[in-house]
Structures are given as C-alpha cells and as structure tokens.
C-alpha cells in the first residue's frame, strides 16, 4: 500500500539586480528586476498544473513578489514566515566575492572555502540559520500532513536547510545550486522519511527559452 506523503516545493525567488551583479543580498530588501518578474510569471504558470494547498514565504520583497505568482495560480494568499528569511550576512551584504576578499581577507576566504566551519557577521553562523529554517520546516511538516506546501525563500537558506533536513555532510552545500525560481521537491512520508525528489528544477524557464 502506497504511503501518504506531504509534498514540499522549495522555491528560490526570481532574479534581482544584485543577483545579476554577484552581490551578497542576505537580509537587504532588494526587489525583483524585470527578468525576475518574468521568471516569477513563468513559475506561476507552471503552478497552474501542480497541486498546491499552502504558500509560505520569506518577508523580503523578492520572495514576496515571487510567492504572489505561485499563490495566484490557486487563489491562495502567501503566509509570511520569518523562519525562511535569507541568511543575515551583516556587513558583507552588498559586496561581491572580489570586494569581500580584498576587504576582509581570510575572515571571508576561510568562510567561503568551508562555510559551516567559520563565523559570519549578522547571523553568526550557518548553524544558526539552519536551526531556524529547520524549526520552521518541522512546524509545517506537522501542521500540513498529507498536503502540498510551497516555501518561497532564498538559495542560501534553502541549501543550508536541506543539509540539515536530509542529514547530508556540510559539503553538500558547496556542491549544489538553486537557480532563480527553481523548484526543489521534498516529500515527507508518513513514517517520517524525507525524500529529495528533484533539485533545481527550472523546466519552466527552459521551455520558455526553447519557445522563443
């Protein structure tokens, strides 16, 4: 007999100018750019064909704008949840990798090489960000058993959260990527098993590109 499952769609927000420029955004409240709004629209079209019961979202504008397109497909209202706000990088926000390397030296380059082993300004550590994200996820896991739930958040936080949820080694973070508006699908079975079904699924963007 097939087990019931709770399906989570983990979604990164659409593109911003800081994404395009390679700048750390963190908790800085940057809006989507024109490309990002089009990505969100295409994502929303895709969700017209996917089952969905609830949409939770980071409070930052870029995630909110993206979530509105997802929720609209099912007549839902996104629910803001602070657990899914991006990692706070403090003084590093607004800078590129090159700028951070020049300004902070090993304080940054050691972190970049092994992000779970070194402190960061703002949040303090990736462990702190992971803990709050998992707390938020586990609350939804209990609240919405057997349903389909979208979490619209940020690439950094979602990857850190996956490391913890799936019991992966820390290196998993550095070996994965989430494209803007990509969908990562995680099923939670009745017996508590968490199964990664897809990672960085961006078929809605690829199809739009093919049809140009």
């Amino acid at each position: 007999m097939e087990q019931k499952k709770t399906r989570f769609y983990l979604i990164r927000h659409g593109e911003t100018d800081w994404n395009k420029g390679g700048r750390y955004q963190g908790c800085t409240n940057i809006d989507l750019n024109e490309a990002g709004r089009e990505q969100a629209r295409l994502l929303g079209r895709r969700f017209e064909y996917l089952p969905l019961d609830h949409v939770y979202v980071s409070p930052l504008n870029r995630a909110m704008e993206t979530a509105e397109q997802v929720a609209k497909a099912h007549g839902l209202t996104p629910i803001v949840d602070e657990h899914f706000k991006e990692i706070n990088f403090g003084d590093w926000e607004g800078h590129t990798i090159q700028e951070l390397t020049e300004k902070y030296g090993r304080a940054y380059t050691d972190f970049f090489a092994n992000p779970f082993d070194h402190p960061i300004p703002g949040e303090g550590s990736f462990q702190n960000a992971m803990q709050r994200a998992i707390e938020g996820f586990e609350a939804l896991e209990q609240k919405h058993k057997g349903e389909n739930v979208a979490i619209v958040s940020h690439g950094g936080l979602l990857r850190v959260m996956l490391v913890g949820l799936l019991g992966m080694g820390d290196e998993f973070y550095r070996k994965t990527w989430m494209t803007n508006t990509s969908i990562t699908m995680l099923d939670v079975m009745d017996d508590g098993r968490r199964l990664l079904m897809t990672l960085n699924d961006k078929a809605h963007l690829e199809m739009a590109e093919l049809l140009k």
Side-chain angles (χ1 to χ4, degrees):
M1 183 176 176
E2 186 179 355
Q3 284 197 47
K4 291 182 180 178
K5 63 179 179 290
T6 306
R7 172 154 290 177
F8 285 90
Y9 302 104
L10 309 180
I11 301 166
R12 186 186 178 196
H13 61 80
E15 184 186 87
T16 70
D17 285 341
W18 279 21
N19 286 148
K20 193 173 181 179
R23 297 188 180 278
Y24 275 67
Q25 291 183 114
C27 290
T28 305
N29 204 9
I30 307 298
D31 293 336
L32 298 182
N33 61 20
E34 185 176 346
R37 287 188 288 274
E38 176 61 10
Q39 291 168 345
R41 186 190 71 80
L42 292 168
L43 178 68
R45 290 292 306 275
R46 185 170 181 187
F47 268 92
E48 292 175 8
Y49 304 96
L50 295 174
L52 187 63
D53 301 299
H54 308 279
V55 179
Y56 288 84
V57 62
S58 155
L60 298 176
N61 287 355
R62 56 192 185 272
M64 292 284 290
E65 289 181 70
T66 306
E68 286 166 4
Q69 294 297 320
V70 173
K72 184 170 66 173
H74 290 268
L76 301 171
T77 300
I79 300 168
V80 174
D81 192 325
E82 294 278 344
H83 288 97
F84 305 119
K85 195 172 185 178
E86 179 60 301
I87 300 165
N88 185 343
F89 285 100
D91 292 342
W92 290 359
E93 294 179 11
H95 296 289
T96 64
I97 290 173
Q98 182 177 343
E99 290 168 351
L100 290 170
T101 300
E102 292 172 355
K103 186 172 183 178
Y104 295 99
R106 288 196 60 179
Y108 174 73
T109 57
D110 285 351
F111 156 81
F112 187 81
N114 296 289
F116 282 88
D117 295 336
H118 298 280
I120 57 173
E123 194 97 21
S125 71
F126 267 24
Q127 285 81 2
N128 291 342
M130 180 192 290
Q131 182 178 350
R132 79 168 153 87
I134 289 177
E135 284 175 359
F137 182 90
E138 289 181 340
L140 300 185
E141 195 177 42
Q142 294 301 312
K143 185 176 182 180
H144 296 303
K145 285 183 179 293
E147 297 186 287
N148 301 285
V149 182
I151 298 174
V152 183
S153 183
H154 308 267
L157 187 78
L158 290 174
R159 286 156 63 211
V160 165
M161 184 172 76
L162 276 179
V163 169
L165 290 175
L166 299 175
M168 299 283 195
D170 294 350
E171 68 275 8
F172 180 78
Y173 177 86
R174 299 284 295 155
K175 294 180 178 179
T176 59
W177 186 250
M178 292 182 180
T179 302
N180 292 111
T181 70
S182 66
I183 303 167
T184 293
M185 195 162 64
L186 184 68
D187 285 351
V188 181
M189 310 309 288
D190 267 359
D191 60 9
R193 285 180 300 137
R194 295 164 177 158
L195 303 178
L196 182 62
M197 306 303 290
T198 65
L199 175 69
N200 196 38
D201 176 356
K202 53 187 188 301
H204 49 287
L205 304 182
E206 293 166 342
M207 286 301 297
E209 191 64 29
L210 285 172
L211 293 172
K212 277 185 178 179

